[in-house]
Coordinates of all heavy atoms in Angstrom, one line a residue:
M21 N 96.4 379.0 131.9 CA 96.5 378.6 133.3 C 98.0 378.4 133.7 O 98.7 377.8 133.0 CB 95.7 377.4 133.6 CG 95.8 376.9 135.0 SD 94.8 375.4 135.3 CE 93.4 376.2 136.0
A22 N 98.4 378.9 134.8 CA 99.7 378.8 135.2 C 99.8 377.8 136.4 O 98.9 377.7 137.2 CB 100.3 380.2 135.7
Y23 N 100.9 377.1 136.4 CA 101.1 376.1 137.4 C 102.3 376.6 138.3 O 103.3 377.1 137.8 CB 101.4 374.7 136.8 CG 100.3 374.1 136.2 CD1 100.1 374.2 134.8 CD2 99.3 373.4 136.9 CE1 99.1 373.6 134.1 CE2 98.2 372.9 136.3 CZ 98.1 372.9 134.9 OH 97.0 372.3 134.3
H24 N 102.2 376.3 139.5 CA 103.3 376.7 140.4 C 103.7 375.5 141.3 O 102.8 374.9 141.9 CB 102.8 377.9 141.3 CG 103.9 378.3 142.3 ND1 105.0 379.0 141.9 CD2 104.0 378.2 143.6 CE1 105.8 379.3 142.9 NE2 105.2 378.8 144.0
S25 N 104.9 375.2 141.3 CA 105.4 374.1 142.1 C 106.1 374.6 143.3 O 106.9 375.5 143.3 CB 106.3 373.2 141.3 OG 106.9 372.2 142.1
T26 N 105.9 373.9 144.5 CA 106.6 374.3 145.7 C 107.8 373.5 145.9 O 108.6 373.7 146.8 CB 105.6 374.2 146.9 OG1 105.2 372.8 146.9 CG2 104.4 375.1 146.8
E27 N 108.0 372.5 145.0 CA 109.2 371.7 145.1 C 110.4 372.4 144.4 O 110.2 373.1 143.4 CB 109.0 370.3 144.5 CG 107.9 369.5 145.2 CD 107.7 368.2 144.5 OE1 108.5 367.7 143.8 OE2 106.6 367.6 144.7
F28 N 111.5 372.1 144.9 CA 112.7 372.7 144.2 C 113.7 371.5 144.1 O 113.8 370.6 144.9 CB 113.3 373.9 144.9 CG 113.6 373.7 146.3 CD1 114.9 373.3 146.6 CD2 112.7 373.8 147.3 CE1 115.3 373.1 148.0 CE2 113.0 373.6 148.6 CZ 114.3 373.3 149.0
D29 N 114.6 371.6 143.0 CA 115.5 370.5 142.8 C 116.8 370.9 143.5 O 117.5 371.8 143.2 CB 115.8 370.4 141.3 CG 116.7 369.3 140.9 OD1 116.9 368.4 141.8 OD2 117.3 369.3 139.8
T30 N 117.2 370.0 144.5 CA 118.4 370.2 145.2 C 119.5 369.4 144.6 O 120.7 369.5 145.0 CB 118.3 369.7 146.7 OG1 117.9 368.4 146.7 CG2 117.1 370.5 147.4
G31 N 119.2 368.6 143.6 CA 120.2 367.7 143.0 C 120.3 366.4 143.7 O 121.0 365.5 143.3
L32 N 119.7 366.3 144.9 CA 119.7 365.1 145.6 C 119.0 363.9 144.9 O 119.5 362.8 144.9 CB 119.1 365.3 147.0 CG 119.3 364.1 148.0 CD1 120.7 363.8 148.2 CD2 118.6 364.5 149.3
G33 N 117.9 364.2 144.3 CA 117.2 363.2 143.5 C 118.0 362.6 142.4 O 118.0 361.4 142.2
R34 N 118.6 363.5 141.7 CA 119.5 363.0 140.6 C 120.7 362.2 141.1 O 121.0 361.1 140.5 CB 120.1 364.2 139.8 CG 119.4 364.4 138.4 CD 120.0 365.5 137.7 NE 119.5 366.8 138.3 CZ 120.2 367.8 138.6 NH1 121.5 367.8 138.3 NH2 119.8 368.9 139.1
F35 N 121.2 362.6 142.2 CA 122.4 361.9 142.8 C 121.9 360.5 143.3 O 122.6 359.5 143.1 CB 122.9 362.7 144.0 CG 124.0 362.1 144.7 CD1 125.3 361.9 144.1 CD2 123.9 361.5 146.0 CE1 126.3 361.3 144.8 CE2 124.9 360.9 146.6 CZ 126.1 360.8 146.0
A36 N 120.8 360.5 144.0 CA 120.2 359.2 144.4 C 120.0 358.3 143.2 O 120.3 357.1 143.3 CB 119.0 359.4 145.2
H37 N 119.4 358.8 142.2 CA 119.2 358.0 141.0 C 120.5 357.4 140.4 O 120.5 356.3 140.0 CB 118.4 358.9 139.9 CG 118.1 358.1 138.7 ND1 117.1 357.1 138.7 CD2 118.5 358.2 137.4 CE1 117.0 356.7 137.5 NE2 117.8 357.3 136.7
Q38 N 121.5 358.2 140.4 CA 122.8 357.8 139.9 C 123.4 356.7 140.8 O 123.9 355.7 140.3 CB 123.8 358.9 139.8 CG 123.4 359.9 138.6 CD 124.3 361.1 138.7 OE1 125.0 361.4 139.6 NE2 124.3 361.9 137.6
I39 N 123.3 356.9 142.1 CA 123.8 355.9 143.1 C 123.0 354.6 142.9 O 123.7 353.5 142.8 CB 123.7 356.4 144.5 CG1 124.6 357.6 144.7 CG2 124.0 355.3 145.5 CD1 126.1 357.2 144.6
F40 N 121.7 354.6 142.8 CA 120.9 353.4 142.7 C 121.2 352.7 141.4 O 121.3 351.5 141.3 CB 119.4 353.7 142.8 CG 119.0 354.0 144.2 CD1 118.2 355.1 144.5 CD2 119.4 353.2 145.3 CE1 117.8 355.3 145.8 CE2 119.1 353.4 146.6 CZ 118.3 354.5 146.9
G41 N 121.5 353.5 140.3 CA 121.8 352.9 139.0 C 123.2 352.2 139.1 O 123.4 351.1 138.5
A42 N 124.1 352.8 139.8 CA 125.4 352.2 139.9 C 125.3 350.9 140.8 O 126.0 349.9 140.4 CB 126.4 353.1 140.6
V43 N 124.6 350.9 141.8 CA 124.4 349.7 142.6 C 123.7 348.6 141.8 O 124.1 347.4 141.9 CB 123.6 350.0 143.9 CG1 123.2 348.8 144.7 CG2 124.4 350.9 144.8
R44 N 122.7 349.0 141.1 CA 122.0 348.0 140.2 C 122.9 347.4 139.2 O 122.9 346.2 139.0 CB 120.8 348.7 139.5 CG 119.9 347.8 138.8 CD 118.7 348.4 138.0 NE 118.2 349.6 138.7 CZ 118.2 350.8 138.2 NH1 118.8 351.1 137.1 NH2 117.7 351.8 139.0
G45 N 123.8 348.2 138.6 CA 124.8 347.7 137.6 C 125.7 346.7 138.3 O 126.1 345.7 137.7
F46 N 126.2 347.1 139.5 CA 127.1 346.3 140.2 C 126.5 344.9 140.6 O 127.1 343.9 140.3 CB 127.6 347.0 141.5 CG 128.5 346.2 142.4 CD1 129.8 345.9 142.0 CD2 128.0 345.7 143.6 CE1 130.6 345.1 142.8 CE2 128.8 344.9 144.4 CZ 130.1 344.6 144.0
L47 N 125.3 344.9 141.1 CA 124.6 343.7 141.4 C 124.3 342.8 140.2 O 124.4 341.6 140.2 CB 123.3 344.0 142.2 CG 123.5 344.6 143.6 CD1 122.2 344.9 144.2 CD2 124.3 343.7 144.5
S48 N 124.0 343.5 139.1 CA 123.7 342.8 137.8 C 125.0 342.1 137.4 O 124.9 340.9 136.9 CB 123.3 343.8 136.8 OG 123.1 343.1 135.5
S49 N 126.2 342.7 137.5 CA 127.4 342.1 137.0 C 127.8 340.9 137.9 O 128.3 339.9 137.5 CB 128.5 343.1 137.0 OG 128.8 343.6 138.3
I50 N 127.5 341.0 139.2 CA 127.7 339.9 140.2 C 126.8 338.7 139.8 O 127.3 337.6 139.7 CB 127.5 340.3 141.6 CG1 128.6 341.2 142.1 CG2 127.4 339.1 142.5 CD1 128.5 341.8 143.5
M51 N 125.6 339.0 139.5 CA 124.6 337.9 139.1 C 125.1 337.2 137.8 O 125.1 336.0 137.7 CB 123.2 338.5 138.9 CG 122.2 337.5 138.6 SD 121.8 336.6 140.0 CE 120.2 337.1 140.2
K52 N 125.6 338.0 136.8 CA 126.1 337.4 135.6 C 127.3 336.5 135.8 O 127.4 335.5 135.3 CB 126.4 338.5 134.6 CG 125.2 339.2 134.0 CD 125.6 340.3 133.1 CE 124.3 341.1 132.6 NZ 124.7 342.2 131.8
A53 N 128.2 337.0 136.7 CA 129.4 336.2 137.1 C 129.0 334.9 137.7 O 129.6 333.9 137.5 CB 130.3 337.1 137.9
M54 N 128.0 335.0 138.6 CA 127.6 333.7 139.3 C 127.0 332.7 138.3 O 127.2 331.5 138.4 CB 126.5 334.1 140.3 CG 127.1 334.8 141.5 SD 125.9 335.3 142.7 CE 125.3 333.8 143.3
I55 N 126.3 333.2 137.3 CA 125.7 332.3 136.3 C 126.8 331.7 135.4 O 126.8 330.5 135.2 CB 124.7 333.1 135.4 CG1 123.4 333.5 136.2 CG2 124.3 332.3 134.1 CD1 122.5 334.5 135.5
V56 N 127.8 332.5 135.0 CA 128.9 332.0 134.2 C 129.7 331.0 135.1 O 130.1 329.9 134.6 CB 129.8 333.1 133.7 CG1 131.1 332.6 133.2 CG2 129.0 333.9 132.7
S57 N 129.9 331.3 136.3 CA 130.6 330.4 137.2 C 129.9 329.0 137.4 O 130.6 328.0 137.4 CB 130.8 331.1 138.6 OG 131.4 330.2 139.5
S58 N 128.6 329.1 137.6 CA 127.9 327.8 137.7 C 128.0 327.0 136.4 O 128.0 325.7 136.5 CB 126.4 328.1 138.1 OG 125.7 328.7 137.0
S59 N 128.0 327.6 135.3 CA 128.1 326.9 134.0 C 129.5 326.2 134.0 O 129.6 325.1 133.6 CB 128.0 327.9 132.9 OG 128.3 327.3 131.7
Y60 N 130.5 326.9 134.4 CA 131.9 326.4 134.3 C 132.0 325.3 135.3 O 132.8 324.3 135.1 CB 133.0 327.4 134.5 CG 133.2 328.2 133.3 CD1 133.0 329.6 133.3 CD2 133.7 327.7 132.1 CE1 133.3 330.4 132.2 CE2 134.0 328.4 131.0 CZ 133.7 329.7 131.0 OH 134.0 330.5 129.9
T61 N 131.4 325.4 136.5 CA 131.5 324.4 137.5 C 130.9 323.0 137.0 O 131.6 322.0 137.2 CB 130.7 324.8 138.8 OG1 131.2 326.0 139.3 CG2 130.8 323.8 139.9
G62 N 129.8 323.1 136.3 CA 129.3 321.9 135.7 C 130.2 321.2 134.7 O 130.4 320.0 134.7
R63 N 130.9 322.1 133.9 CA 131.8 321.6 132.9 C 133.0 321.0 133.6 O 133.5 319.9 133.2 CB 132.2 322.7 131.9 CG 131.1 323.1 131.0 CD 131.5 324.3 130.2 NE 130.4 324.8 129.4 CZ 130.1 324.5 128.2 NH1 130.9 323.7 127.5 NH2 129.1 325.1 127.6
V64 N 133.5 321.6 134.6 CA 134.7 321.1 135.3 C 134.4 319.7 135.9 O 135.2 318.8 135.9 CB 135.2 322.1 136.4 CG1 136.2 321.5 137.3 CG2 135.8 323.3 135.7
Q65 N 133.2 319.6 136.5 CA 132.8 318.3 137.1 C 132.7 317.3 136.0 O 133.0 316.1 136.2 CB 131.4 318.5 137.8 CG 131.5 319.3 139.1 CD 130.2 319.6 139.7 OE1 129.1 319.4 139.1 NE2 130.2 320.1 140.9
R66 N 132.2 317.6 134.8 CA 132.2 316.7 133.7 C 133.6 316.3 133.3 O 133.8 315.1 133.0 CB 131.5 317.3 132.5 CG 131.5 316.5 131.2 CD 130.3 315.5 131.2 NE 130.3 314.9 129.9 CZ 130.3 313.6 129.7 NH1 130.2 312.8 130.7 NH2 130.2 313.1 128.5
V67 N 134.5 317.2 133.2 CA 135.9 316.9 132.9 C 136.5 315.9 134.0 O 137.1 314.9 133.6 CB 136.8 318.1 132.8 CG1 138.3 317.8 132.8 CG2 136.4 319.0 131.6
Q68 N 136.2 316.2 135.2 CA 136.7 315.3 136.3 C 136.1 313.9 136.2 O 136.8 312.9 136.5 CB 136.4 316.0 137.7 CG 137.3 317.2 137.9 CD 136.8 317.9 139.2 OE1 135.7 317.8 139.7 NE2 137.7 318.8 139.7
A69 N 134.9 313.9 135.9 CA 134.2 312.6 135.8 C 134.8 311.7 134.6 O 135.1 310.5 134.8 CB 132.7 312.7 135.5
L70 N 135.1 312.4 133.5 CA 135.7 311.7 132.4 C 137.2 311.3 132.7 O 137.6 310.2 132.3 CB 135.7 312.5 131.1 CG 134.3 312.7 130.5 CD1 134.3 313.7 129.4 CD2 133.8 311.3 130.0
Q71 N 137.9 312.2 133.4 CA 139.3 311.8 133.7 C 139.4 310.7 134.7 O 140.4 310.0 134.8 CB 140.0 313.1 134.3 CG 140.3 314.1 133.2 CD 140.9 315.4 133.8 OE1 140.8 315.7 134.9 NE2 141.6 316.1 132.9
A72 N 138.3 310.5 135.5 CA 138.3 309.4 136.5 C 138.1 308.1 135.9 O 138.3 307.0 136.5 CB 137.2 309.7 137.6
K73 N 137.6 308.0 134.6 CA 137.4 306.8 133.9 C 138.7 306.1 133.5 O 139.7 306.8 133.3 CB 136.5 307.0 132.7 CG 135.1 307.5 133.0 CD 134.2 307.5 131.8 CE 132.8 308.0 132.1 NZ 132.1 307.0 133.0
S74 N 138.6 304.8 133.3 CA 139.8 304.1 132.9 C 140.0 304.3 131.4 O 139.1 304.8 130.7 CB 139.6 302.6 133.2 OG 138.6 302.1 132.3
D75 N 141.2 304.0 130.9 CA 141.4 304.1 129.5 C 140.5 303.2 128.6 O 140.1 303.6 127.5 CB 142.9 303.8 129.1 CG 143.9 304.8 129.7 OD1 143.4 306.0 129.8 OD2 145.0 304.5 129.9
E76 N 140.1 302.1 129.2 CA 139.2 301.2 128.4 C 137.8 301.8 128.3 O 137.2 301.7 127.3 CB 139.2 299.8 129.1 CG 140.4 299.0 129.1 CD 141.5 299.5 130.1 OE1 141.1 300.1 131.1 OE2 142.7 299.2 129.8
E77 N 137.4 302.4 129.4 CA 136.1 303.1 129.4 C 136.0 304.2 128.4 O 135.1 304.4 127.7 CB 135.7 303.6 130.8 CG 135.4 302.5 131.8 CD 135.2 303.0 133.2 OE1 136.0 303.8 133.6 OE2 134.2 302.6 133.8
L78 N 137.1 305.0 128.4 CA 137.2 306.1 127.4 C 137.2 305.6 126.0 O 136.6 306.2 125.1 CB 138.4 307.0 127.7 CG 138.3 307.8 129.0 CD1 139.6 308.5 129.3 CD2 137.2 308.8 129.0
A79 N 138.0 304.5 125.8 CA 138.1 304.0 124.4 C 136.7 303.5 124.0 O 136.3 303.6 122.8 CB 139.1 302.8 124.4
A80 N 135.9 302.9 124.9 CA 134.6 302.4 124.5 C 133.7 303.6 124.2 O 132.7 303.5 123.4 CB 134.0 301.7 125.7
M81 N 134.0 304.8 124.7 CA 133.2 306.0 124.4 C 133.8 306.8 123.2 O 133.4 307.9 122.8 CB 133.2 307.0 125.6 CG 132.5 306.4 126.8 SD 132.8 307.4 128.3 CE 131.8 308.8 127.9
N82 N 134.9 306.2 122.6 CA 135.6 306.9 121.5 C 136.2 308.2 121.9 O 136.2 309.2 121.1 CB 134.7 307.1 120.3 CG 134.8 306.0 119.3 OD1 135.8 305.2 119.3 ND2 133.9 306.0 118.3
I83 N 136.8 308.3 123.1 CA 137.4 309.5 123.6 C 138.8 309.2 124.0 O 139.1 308.2 124.7 CB 136.6 310.1 124.8 CG1 135.2 310.4 124.5 CG2 137.3 311.2 125.4 CD1 134.3 310.8 125.7
K84 N 139.7 310.0 123.5 CA 141.1 309.9 124.0 C 141.3 310.8 125.2 O 140.6 311.9 125.3 CB 142.1 310.4 122.9 CG 142.1 309.4 121.7 CD 143.3 309.8 120.8 CE 142.9 311.0 120.0 NZ 143.9 311.3 119.0
R85 N 142.1 310.4 126.1 CA 142.3 311.2 127.4 C 142.7 312.6 127.1 O 142.3 313.6 127.7 CB 143.3 310.5 128.3 CG 143.3 311.0 129.7 CD 144.1 310.1 130.6 NE 143.4 308.8 130.8 CZ 142.4 308.6 131.6 NH1 141.9 309.6 132.3 NH2 141.9 307.4 131.8
D86 N 143.5 312.8 126.1 CA 144.0 314.1 125.7 C 142.9 315.1 125.2 O 143.1 316.3 125.1 CB 145.1 314.1 124.7 CG 146.4 313.4 125.2 OD1 146.5 313.4 126.4 OD2 147.2 312.9 124.4
D87 N 141.8 314.5 124.7 CA 140.7 315.3 124.1 C 139.6 315.6 125.0 O 138.6 316.2 124.6 CB 140.2 314.5 122.9 CG 141.2 314.3 121.8 OD1 142.1 315.2 121.7 OD2 141.0 313.4 121.0
I88 N 139.7 315.2 126.3 CA 138.6 315.4 127.2 C 138.2 316.9 127.4 O 137.0 317.2 127.2 CB 138.9 314.8 128.6 CG1 138.9 313.2 128.5 CG2 137.9 315.2 129.7 CD1 139.4 312.6 129.8
V89 N 139.1 317.7 127.6 CA 138.8 319.1 127.8 C 138.2 319.7 126.5 O 137.3 320.5 126.5 CB 140.1 319.9 128.2 CG1 139.8 321.4 128.3 CG2 140.5 319.5 129.6
H90 N 138.8 319.3 125.4 CA 138.3 319.9 124.1 C 136.8 319.4 123.8 O 136.0 320.2 123.3 CB 139.2 319.4 122.9 CG 140.6 319.9 123.0 ND1 140.9 321.2 122.9 CD2 141.7 319.2 123.3 CE1 142.2 321.4 123.0 NE2 142.7 320.2 123.3
I91 N 136.5 318.2 124.3 CA 135.2 317.7 124.1 C 134.2 318.4 125.0 O 133.1 318.8 124.5 CB 135.1 316.2 124.3 CG1 135.9 315.4 123.2 CG2 133.7 315.6 124.4 CD1 136.2 314.0 123.4
V92 N 134.6 318.6 126.2 CA 133.6 319.2 127.2 C 133.4 320.7 126.9 O 132.3 321.2 126.9 CB 134.1 319.1 128.6 CG1 133.3 319.8 129.6 CG2 134.1 317.6 129.0
F93 N 134.4 321.4 126.4 CA 134.3 322.8 126.2 C 134.3 323.1 124.7 O 134.6 324.3 124.3 CB 135.5 323.6 126.8 CG 135.5 323.6 128.3 CD1 136.2 322.7 129.0 CD2 134.8 324.6 129.0 CE1 136.2 322.7 130.4 CE2 134.8 324.7 130.3 CZ 135.5 323.7 131.1
H94 N 133.9 322.2 123.8 CA 133.9 322.4 122.4 C 133.1 323.5 121.9 O 133.4 324.1 120.9 CB 133.4 321.1 121.7 CG 131.9 320.9 121.8 ND1 131.3 320.4 123.0 CD2 130.9 321.1 121.0 CE1 130.0 320.3 122.8 NE2 129.7 320.7 121.6
D95 N 132.0 323.9 122.6 CA 131.2 325.0 122.1 C 131.6 326.4 122.5 O 131.1 327.4 122.1 CB 129.7 324.8 122.6 CG 129.6 324.8 124.1 OD1 130.5 324.3 124.7 OD2 128.5 325.2 124.6
L96 N 132.7 326.5 123.4 CA 133.1 327.8 123.8 C 134.3 328.3 123.1 O 134.6 329.5 123.0 CB 133.5 327.7 125.3 CG 132.3 327.4 126.3 CD1 132.8 327.4 127.7 CD2 131.2 328.5 126.1
Y97 N 135.1 327.4 122.5 CA 136.3 327.9 121.7 C 136.6 326.8 120.7 O 136.2 325.7 120.8 CB 137.5 328.1 122.7 CG 138.0 326.9 123.4 CD1 139.0 326.2 122.8 CD2 137.5 326.5 124.6 CE1 139.5 325.0 123.4 CE2 138.0 325.3 125.2 CZ 139.0 324.6 124.6 OH 139.5 323.5 125.2
Y98 N 137.4 327.3 119.7 CA 137.9 326.4 118.7 C 139.4 326.3 118.7 O 140.0 327.4 118.7 CB 137.4 326.9 117.3 CG 137.9 326.1 116.2 CD1 137.4 324.8 115.9 CD2 139.0 326.5 115.4 CE1 137.8 324.0 114.8 CE2 139.5 325.7 114.4 CZ 138.9 324.5 114.1 OH 139.4 323.8 113.1
V99 N 139.9 325.1 118.7 CA 141.4 325.0 118.7 C 141.8 324.2 117.5 O 141.2 323.3 117.1 CB 141.9 324.3 120.0 CG1 143.4 324.1 119.9 CG2 141.5 325.1 121.2

C-alpha cells in the first residue's frame, strides 16, 4: 500500500522549532540566574546581620568579625 502526503516541507517548521528551542534555552538561563541570585541575596543578608552585631555578641557566638564572610559562604568555596 502506498501513502501519499499532500504536505511539503518548506523548512519553516524546522526554523520555528529552532527559534522556540533558542527562546526556551534563554528563558531557562534567566530562571537559573534568578535562583542563584536569590540564594546569594539570602547569604548577603546573613552577612549584613552578623556585621551589625557588636563584638561582644559575635564573641558569644565564637565568631571573629574577619571570619563572617567565610562562615556564611563556607559551602561555596574553600580558602
